[in-house]
Amino acid sequence: MTELLKLEHVVAGYGPVTVLNDLSLDMSERAQLAMIGRNGVGKSTTLKTIMGLADVHAGAIYFQGQNLHGVSTHERAQMGLGYVPQTRDIFPSLTVEENLVAGLKLRPKSALDEAYDMFPRLQERRRNGGRELSGGEQQMLSVARALLGKPKLLLLDEPLEGLAPIIREQLLQAFTRMVSELNIAVLMVEQQIQEALIHTEQVVILDHGAVVYAGQSFDLLNDPQTLDRHVGMAVHTL
Ligand SMILES: Nc1ncnc2c1ncn2[C@@H]1O[C@H](COP(=O)(O)OP(=O)(O)O)[C@@H](O)[C@H]1O
Ligand SMILES: [Mg+2]
């Protein structure tokens, strides 16, 4: 399969602070990859580094074969990298539809139907203000806005955090549809380990800014010892 994203021995962080230590990672087109690991191991920093929001000290990042060195965050988004940060950064004073229009960039307004098709709930709530939305609806809006940028790879930072099980399930089903219907690859950082493993094909575990395990999600789901060793929460979550 065609290689979509490649991180090669990446050392990165914030100014003089190094967070990622020799991190290597590969994703092919339409891949569904979960990234898990304890708090503070560098999961969010990995996504920020891919988007050009952290400082790369060594190594290289390739997207569709192109080295991203010197490429701005804005250009990365135009190339097809979609990013949904942990903070769900929607505009609270704008309506759902206005939030989506803000994500359209140069695309026609008819493209909003793509977002509404993926998240019918947002269509029902299109005239509601951002601050009237539930946490789950805000997350749907965040993801929908990223979708309107026509990403080839969507980076999701703990998309299920703080959401009720039924909403988590709806989001996870939408992520699967994005892969199967829109050919988008998904890299999902998640603390909800069981759900993340069930809804992805591959998984990497991060520790101290490096990949310490890479394999099939299904295998790890059935390997509580490995989970416990690297993540330390298997017993509680599985
Ligand atoms: N903007 C920042 N400046 C300096 N250090 C940071 C910044 N953001 C995160 N860190 C540090 O980087 C490390 C990894 O953080 P992060 O990537 O957010 O971990 P995770 O997402 O796995 O919980 C932590 O020690 C954190 O304190
Ligand atoms: Mg994080």
Side-chain angles (χ1 to χ4, degrees), residues 2 22 28 36 60 114 131 140:
T2 321
D22 201 19
S28 56
I36 61 176
E114 294 166 19
R131 65 167 59 86
M140 288 174 188

Side-chain angles (χ1 to χ4, degrees), residues 8-205:
E8 234 174 37
H9 303 292
V10 170
V11 180
Y14 306 95
V17 179
T18 295
V19 177
L20 304 185
N21 293 297
D22 201 19
L23 188 142
S24 296
L25 191 72
D26 287 292
M27 282 184 79
S28 56
E29 281 179 7
R30 309 180 74 228
Q32 290 174 279
L33 177 69
M35 176 177 283
I36 61 176
R38 293 183 176 88
N39 264 332
V41 295
K43 303 182 298 297
S44 295
T45 302
T46 302
L47 302 191
K48 286 179 194 163
T49 302
I50 295 168
M51 288 310 296
L53 298 167
D55 304 309
V56 176
H57 303 307
I61 304 172
Y62 300 89
F63 183 63
Q64 296 186 301
Q66 186 177 337
N67 192 327
L68 294 184
H69 181 79
V71 178
S72 73
T73 299
H74 178 69
E75 289 166 330
R76 291 177 201 218
Q78 285 181 329
M79 288 168 70
L81 281 164
Y83 173 49
V84 180
Q86 216 166 340
T87 45
R88 295 174 199 160
D89 58 348
I90 61 163
F91 302 111
S93 57
L94 300 184
T95 65
V96 166
E97 186 136 316
E98 286 164 349
N99 266 280
L100 290 173
V101 167
L104 275 176
K105 310 271 163 50
L106 296 174
R107 303 192 62 208
K109 209 174 167 199
S110 57
L112 292 186
D113 290 342
E114 294 166 19
Y116 291 142
D117 178 59
M118 194 57 71
F119 298 108
R121 184 79 188 138
L122 293 180
Q123 186 155 29
E124 292 164 26
R125 305 281 266 151
R126 50 199 271 263
R127 298 195 197 288
N128 287 93
R131 65 167 59 86
E132 297 168 53
L133 303 179
S134 69
E137 290 163 347
Q138 287 180 22
Q139 187 62 283
M140 288 174 188
L141 183 52
S142 253
V143 174
R145 217 176 46 188
L147 267 189
L148 291 175
K150 281 211 163 280
K152 299 185 181 80
L153 170 60
L154 196 54
L155 309 171
L156 302 166
D157 200 345
E158 300 200 24
L160 309 180
E161 190 184 14
L163 303 181
I166 184 155
I167 306 289
R168 298 208 296 262
E169 191 57 37
Q170 285 173 14
L171 277 164
L172 287 162
Q173 281 174 13
F175 301 153
T176 301
R177 275 186 67 198
M178 288 172 203
V179 177
S180 61
E181 295 174 22
L182 305 175
N183 294 322
I184 295 172
V186 173
L187 168 48
M188 176 172 33
V189 169
E190 202 32 80
Q191 302 271 13
Q192 302 293 332
I193 292 173
Q194 187 171 21
E195 284 164 293
L197 291 178
I198 288 171
H199 289 87
T200 53
E201 301 212 319
Q202 290 148 317
V203 56
V204 290
I205 302 180

